[in-house]
Amino acid sequence: MALEIIESCTNCWACQPLCPSKAIYEAKPHFMIDAQKCTECAGDFEDPQCATICPIEGAILNEDGVPLNPPGSLTGIPLQKLAA
Amino acid sequence: MQLPVINNTASEASQGGCSAGSCGSTDDQMNHLPEHIRQKVFNHPCYSEEAHHYFARMHVAVAPACNIQCNYCNRKYDCANESRPGVVSELHHPVQAVKKVLAVAATIPQMTVLGIAGPGDPLANPERTFETFRMLSEQAPDIKLCVSTNGLSLPEQVEELSKYNIDHVTITINCVDPDVGAQIYPWIFWKNKRIKGREAAEILIAQQQKGLEMLVAKGILVKVNSVMIPGVNDKHLEEVSKIVKAKGAFLHNVMPLISEAEHGTFYGLTGQRGPTNEELQALQDACEGDMNMMRHCRQCRADAVGLLGEDRGSEFTMDKVEQMEINYPEAMKMRAEVHAAINEELESKRLAKESKVQLVSIQGVQKKEVTRPVLMAVATKGGGVINEHFGHAGEFLIYEASSEGVRFIGHRKTTPYCEGGDTCGDGESALDKTLKVLAGCEAVLCSKVGYEPWGPLEAAGIQPNGEHAMEPIEEAVLKVYEEMRVAGKLAVKVVEQQKVA
């Protein structure tokens, strides 16, 4: 059970101090999650904290590779506008 | 006929006077601030059209994280050619940031103010922000510190903020009504949850207002920034202005929404337009009856360096700064001398202006004729005089002349006519752009105007005027206004009369 940060990450640091398991670390070209440490915040918070503050849609994936914040879910920008 | 040079609005002037503290701001709004506040901000380049030609500021980008989303912001954006808030090229750790600040302060002694403005929210990055402030308070006590915030975590940070050399905090307050806020803020991060919609706006507004009250109670100066979004909060901002003034904010800065589609923001992609120059001015005028308004904000980048409207950030990239050897205690002596010389010059100018204003005000009282207000554009490099060629001006200062006198309205950016080439990317020539930017103005005063733009300017109803080169701006504007009056061009329209009444 672990989340993953992918290349759309903008290195904004918002997630790093929130992680209760200290699983998030600064790396190049973007922040990474240590899969051994990540608990998806089970037992600590109702929602995984990194995905709860992350401003970039699609930057954090669950175990199945599905974005926790899919396109349009945070900005409200209609999908056809995002594609353009 | 002599006309007074005034620093307040028509409505205030008609009441026959102005109380310090409530007057509208113009090119030199500080003269209208209470003395203890004026003493604090007189050398802050962001607060005075006059001071910004003498003093410089810089921002350091140490605060990348944000705890809210605004519909005018896109956190993915980073472009060195973009000059607007929230955009940076290089993020710094506090130790690097301090090194950079000391390097800039030693190289540009006019640098008096260091701000932390992002690119995220400084108070959502409290460790990085406060570490920077702590080190600077120790190592460079001659630099003033300021910080801007969306206000969400402000109440819990006020105590810490009050420990440093911080005398101004800027809070961006776009609304006091959660229904308006729900159209501006899609979400906030609050108590380990992402909250959306009206509830999010309600929490944010409550925190902003509480933070404002707490700062005022601590004696820390608070400026309020508001982004004007037509159809969303444009009408509402008048109420915001009243409320923040009543709570003790000393200055309100209404800025136009920036929403180009290529920025990829919600507003940009959904076609939300920014206000026209006229709409912005009308709102600033409407708020001015209640509040000191800020008219010359250049909406800088979150890592801007230098005088307002210029950015010397590229001279101080981290790799260049690492090469510099800075002896700050030595630099501080040199800085103190430079500051003393500038302060002396500014003070003598202020006194000269004050005595002149009193003089023309007395002469102006006898005048009864009411003439219609006229907007004029001025090309200047600074120093309060007309000293820029039309073709070299990257921005114009806009002044309004009326039977009440002259007041500064704002600035409008353009592409200098002489550098514009034949066409810009969108097929618009630099002259076309300038003509559009100067819409509503009836004259443009510069040190020189070329033959080529003369005709198109006249055709657009903007009289080019190069006759007042090197003259003080307000005096020249009054002279041109007087010429227009004599020529019978200033008869009052009935509609405008009613508006003033």
Side-chain angles (χ1 to χ4, degrees):
Chain A
M1 197 167 79
L3 303 179
E4 186 193 351
I5 297 175
I6 63 167
E7 68 280 357
S8 50
C9 166
T10 61
N11 296 303
C12 84
W13 290 82
C15 57
Q16 192 260 355
L18 293 176
C19 179
S21 318
K22 302 206 177 337
I24 303 176
Y25 58 97
E26 189 183 6
K28 299 278 174 205
H30 58 77
F31 278 75
M32 303 283 278
I33 296 176
D34 183 337
Q36 302 298 316
K37 289 186 183 169
C38 175
T39 61
E40 300 189 13
C41 293
D44 287 302
F45 297 103
E46 215 170 300
D47 306 316
Q49 292 299 289
C50 56
T52 301
I53 200 167
C54 181
I56 306 297
E57 293 162 350
I60 299 182
L61 310 181
N62 70 12
E63 234 175 7
D64 301 324
V66 178
L68 272 76
N69 298 305
S73 65
L74 301 182
T75 57
I77 298 170
L79 292 182
Q80 65 271 23
K81 301 271 186 193
L82 277 176
Chain B
M1 186 183 79
Q2 281 270 31
L3 285 168
V5 175
I6 55 165
N7 277 338
N8 53 7
T9 62
S11 59
E12 279 167 342
S14 63
Q15 290 159 13
C18 67
S19 56
S22 295
C23 260
S25 73
T26 67
D27 59 332
D28 203 354
Q29 65 223 113
M30 292 184 304
N31 286 338
H32 292 269
L33 293 171
E35 185 57 23
H36 69 284
I37 295 182
R38 201 189 65 80
Q39 281 299 336
K40 270 187 163 181
V41 300
F42 80 99
N43 62 350
H44 194 304
C46 298
Y47 291 151
S48 157
E49 182 62 35
E50 180 80 20
H52 99 253
H53 294 296
Y54 295 91
F55 294 109
R57 55 75 188 97
M58 72 178 288
H59 293 161
V60 282
V62 294
C66 199
N67 48 10
I68 71 172
Q69 175 73 50
C70 303
N71 279 335
Y72 44 76
C73 180
N74 173 7
R75 298 306 314 282
K76 286 183 231 170
Y77 218 88
D78 181 352
C79 167
N81 294 316
E82 272 298 322
S83 179
R84 62 193 169 87
V87 174
V88 299
S89 294
E90 209 180 13
L91 189 69
H92 300 309
H93 288 268
V95 174
Q96 290 178 306
V98 169
K99 207 163 187 180
K100 178 169 169 172
V101 173
L102 297 184
V104 172
T107 315
I108 308 177
Q110 298 91 333
M111 199 279 275
T112 50
V113 174
L114 178 276
I116 299 183
D121 187 75
L123 301 185
N125 301 256
E127 293 83 11
R128 301 164 66 95
T129 297
F130 289 127
E131 197 187 340
T132 309
F133 282 156
R134 185 178 50 73
M135 286 190 280
L136 283 173
S137 292
E138 288 164 10
Q139 295 178 36
D142 64 336
I143 297 176
K144 291 185 175 205
L145 307 174
C146 57
V147 62
S148 12
T149 178
N150 61 45
L152 182 61
S153 57
L154 178 57
E156 61 194 78
Q157 312 285 4
V158 168
E159 193 56 45
E160 181 74 13
L161 273 172
S162 65
K163 290 182 191 162
Y164 306 102
N165 196 12
I166 297 172
D167 43 20
H168 330 93
V169 173
T170 299
I171 315 175
T172 300
I173 299 180
N174 294 320
C175 55
V176 290
D177 174 348
D179 289 316
V180 175
Q183 301 171 61
I184 302 172
Y185 307 105
W187 58 264
I188 66 169
F189 180 81
W190 178 249
K191 298 194 191 301
N192 302 98
K193 293 253 176 216
R194 198 185 314 257
I195 314 270
K196 298 187 174 184
R198 193 179 188 280
E199 189 192 352
E202 206 163 6
I203 295 167
L204 177 62
I205 290 165
Q207 290 290 101
Q208 289 171 337
Q209 295 298 320
K210 190 175 165 194
L212 166 60
E213 290 161 17
M214 290 171 73
L215 286 170
V216 170
K218 280 258 179 209
I220 299 173
L221 291 183
V222 182
K223 165 172 142 263
V224 170
N225 275 357
S226 299
V227 179
M228 178 184 184
I229 311 158
V232 175
N233 71 347
D234 47 348
K235 307 269 186 309
H236 181 58
L237 284 178
E238 287 183 49
E239 189 188 343
V240 170
S241 210
K242 282 200 179 76
I243 289 172
V244 300
K245 185 204 176 178
K247 291 193 176 175
F250 86 104
L251 194 62
H252 191 194
N253 178 21
V254 176
M255 303 175 297
L257 171 70
I258 301 173
S259 62
E260 309 308 315
E262 60 267 31
H263 298 157
T265 62
F266 174 86
Y267 285 145
L269 290 173
T270 55
Q272 168 67 51
R273 70 174 179 91
T276 63
N277 289 322
E278 291 79 8
E279 288 168 334
L280 179 67
Q281 187 194 324
L283 176 60
Q284 289 175 334
D285 287 352
C287 294
E288 198 162 45
D290 301 298
M291 187 75 195
N292 289 296
M293 293 299 293
M294 184 154 157
R295 297 273 190 172
H296 57 270
C297 174
R298 262 46 168 203
Q299 294 180 286
C300 301
R301 288 164 60 98
D303 59 356
V305 175
L307 298 166
L308 290 197
E310 75 166 18
D311 190 355
R312 295 176 61 179
S314 60
E315 294 170 40
F316 300 97
T317 53
M318 222 44 234
D319 54 329
K320 288 178 188 160
V321 167
E322 296 289 0
Q323 304 295 316
M324 299 182 191
E325 296 245 349
I326 303 298
N327 178 346
Y328 200 74
E330 271 308 306
M332 211 148 69
K333 288 182 204 156
M334 177 267 291
R335 286 168 51 78
E337 284 167 25
V338 172
H339 296 172
I342 299 174
N343 292 345
E344 204 174 302
E345 185 178 344
L346 278 176
E347 189 59 18
S348 66
K349 274 195 168 181
R350 190 175 74 91
L351 293 175
K353 202 168 174 181
E354 245 172 29
S355 55
K356 198 188 281 172
V357 168
Q358 280 168 2
L359 184 71
V360 283
S361 294
I362 293 162
Q363 292 170 339
V365 170
Q366 295 150 9
K367 162 199 66 68
K368 287 278 179 272
E369 187 185 0
V370 176
T371 43
R372 72 181 174 86
V374 168
L375 291 184
M376 295 185 207
V378 171
T380 176
K381 290 180 198 162
V385 295
I386 295 168
N387 56 1
E388 180 69 293
H389 288 208
F390 175 80
H392 296 165
E395 70 168 10
F396 291 90
L397 301 188
I398 309 298
Y399 285 79
E400 185 194 72
S402 69
S403 41
E404 307 291 348
V406 175
R407 64 185 183 124
F408 177 67
I409 293 293
H411 60 91
R412 298 182 188 173
K413 280 185 194 154
T414 186
T415 307
Y417 166 66
C418 292
E419 296 166 21
D422 283 343
T423 55
C424 299
D426 52 3
E428 183 186 51
S429 79
L431 182 58
D432 286 341
K433 186 175 174 188
T434 300
L435 288 175
K436 212 186 274 175
V437 160
L438 297 183
C441 298
E442 295 178 45
V444 56
L445 280 56
C446 10
S447 60
K448 221 172 193 178
V449 195
Y451 173 75
E452 237 178 279
W454 195 280
L457 276 167
E458 272 190 338
I462 306 163
Q463 182 59 48
N465 187 320
E467 290 163 25
H468 299 280
M470 297 316 292
E471 287 180 26
I473 294 171
E474 276 108 340
E475 284 176 26
V477 168
L478 278 181
K479 279 187 202 162
V480 174
Y481 189 67
E482 176 61 9
E483 285 164 21
M484 291 175 78
R485 189 188 68 83
V486 170
K489 291 177 180 168
L490 299 180
V492 180
K493 290 173 197 156
V494 180
V495 189
E496 275 166 357
Q497 268 268 328
Q498 283 168 344
K499 209 169 87 187
V500 171

